Amino acid sequence: MAKGSAKRIAGQNEQTIKTLRLGMIVPTIISLLLRFFFRRGSLPPSKGSLALYVLTYFPALFLSRYLETMGTSRRDPTTGTLLSSGEDLSQPGVTEWCFDILYVTWACQIGSGAFGEWFWWLYLIIPLYAAFKVWSNFISPMLGRSSAPASGNDAATEKETLSKRQEKLRKRGERGDPRVRSVRK
């Protein structure tokens, strides 16, 4: 059973790595084609445009290589048996954030080719989201500001924590059903 799971993860990772490799090439080609067909005035790209492209391409390349090495499966060279499936590239957390950064980078590359250099402002989503996560997970709790509602009504919070079965038993007990033993203090 565990080997089946490892094989499934290895297969998903191989497909994801193929997509990553294409994703590092295809947005550049699409951006150049969009510039050529729809925005000929932007050819050749300005120095600022090239600087933005290079400045965002290197982190994307680094993240792509990181995900690729993390998710690459290892096989026995002689028998081809799966030794390690690699880390699951569909797991939440840092892996998911790496993919998000790659997707935003690719969208900015294509969007700048189609709509203009102002589209790179979309890239600010990444540091804004990081600041939001830092604030909500670290800074706000240290300042004593929690987003949890104040527990003014204990009966309301008790109702929310009861399961359906517990709620049924409570209602039966209120009606005096003999199947329910009521423990009174």
Side-chain angles (χ1 to χ4, degrees):
M1 191 77 158
K3 289 188 180 204
S5 176
K7 287 180 182 178
R8 179 186 53 81
I9 289 172
Q12 288 174 346
N13 285 353
E14 288 172 4
Q15 185 63 36
T16 303
I17 289 171
K18 286 179 188 176
T19 304
L20 277 174
R21 289 178 180 162
L22 279 176
M24 292 306 292
I25 297 168
V26 171
T28 304
I29 294 170
I30 291 174
S31 177
L32 288 173
L33 288 175
L34 288 171
R35 286 177 189 272
F36 181 75
F37 287 118
F38 299 113
R39 298 183 53 239
R40 285 184 189 239
S42 68
L43 284 175
S46 67
K47 290 179 184 178
S49 175
L50 285 175
L52 277 172
Y53 179 79
V54 169
L55 190 66
T56 59
Y57 187 80
F58 283 124
L61 182 64
F62 171 76
L63 290 176
S64 173
R65 295 292 176 224
Y66 168 72
L67 291 170
E68 195 172 318
T69 56
M70 186 173 84
T72 302
S73 58
R74 288 188 342 214
R75 297 187 182 273
D76 185 15
T78 56
T79 62
T81 309
L82 184 66
L83 298 175
S84 169
S85 63
E87 296 291 322
D88 187 7
L89 292 179
S90 63
Q91 64 185 340
V94 174
T95 306
E96 187 177 41
W97 295 339
C98 291
F99 278 108
D100 291 344
I101 292 171
L102 287 172
Y103 297 149
V104 170
T105 304
W106 297 341
C108 287
Q109 288 174 357
I110 293 171
S112 70
F115 302 113
E117 304 313 316
W118 63 269
F119 206 82
W120 283 104
W121 286 100
L122 179 68
Y123 207 74
L124 288 177
I125 288 175
I126 296 169
L128 289 175
Y129 182 73
F132 166 74
K133 287 303 248 183
V134 167
W135 173 262
S136 63
N137 290 339
F138 301 110
I139 296 173
S140 180
M142 285 195 300
L143 294 175
R145 298 178 181 146
S146 65
S147 59
S151 59
N153 191 356
D154 292 333
T157 56
E158 182 182 332
K159 266 192 175 180
E160 291 176 10
T161 59
L162 294 178
S163 68
K164 288 183 179 182
R165 183 173 186 275
Q166 290 171 334
E167 187 68 27
K168 278 183 181 180
L169 290 173
R170 185 188 61 78
K171 286 181 182 178
R172 284 181 185 166
E174 288 174 357
R175 287 184 294 186
D177 195 332
R179 295 179 289 181
V180 179
R181 293 183 195 155
S182 63
V183 178
R184 299 197 184 214
K185 294 180 182 178

